[in-house]
Amino acid sequence: QHLFFDCNFSTVCKNLMQGWLQIQWRQPIAEWIIRWRCKSQIQKMVVMTATSGIIYEIWWCRNQCRVEGFIQVPQLIVQNVK
């Protein structure tokens, strides 16, 4: 659920990222990535890199929570991607 933005934590991260990138993600995320059209190749690279980054950060945070019981706030996760 976390990696596909189906839980509250991931949704908050996604919404913060959308605001920063000034885009609107549609669900499901995999379909949105395939169909998303952009104005330039640079814009597409930035959005795809940020998307990969947020997915990785959510995955890492989930593992930290399970292994060490440490939970990060969504704002810090998005800041790591920025």
Side-chain angles (χ1 to χ4, degrees):
Q1 288 181 331
H2 291 296
L3 298 182
F4 298 103
F5 305 104
D6 288 337
C7 72
N8 290 335
F9 182 84
S10 296
T11 300
V12 171
C13 292
K14 179 191 78 164
N15 291 339
L16 290 169
M17 201 59 140
Q18 285 182 137
W20 178 60
L21 294 171
Q22 299 179 357
I23 59 169
Q24 289 294 315
W25 279 339
R26 297 186 192 117
Q27 291 293 345
I29 190 70
E31 184 177 319
W32 177 84
I33 288 171
I34 292 168
R35 294 179 185 209
W36 182 66
R37 302 287 185 254
C38 60
K39 294 179 181 179
S40 72
Q41 190 64 22
I42 293 173
Q43 181 187 23
K44 185 173 188 170
M45 288 173 53
V46 168
V47 169
M48 292 304 155
T49 301
T51 302
S52 298
I54 197 70
I55 290 170
Y56 171 80
E57 288 290 330
I58 291 169
W59 169 81
W60 184 85
C61 183
R62 177 192 164 273
N63 288 345
Q64 287 290 102
C65 183
R66 294 189 107 188
V67 173
E68 298 179 20
F70 177 74
I71 301 172
Q72 285 191 5
V73 295
Q75 291 80 0
L76 183 58
I77 290 174
V78 172
Q79 187 63 38
N80 289 341
V81 174
K82 289 179 182 180

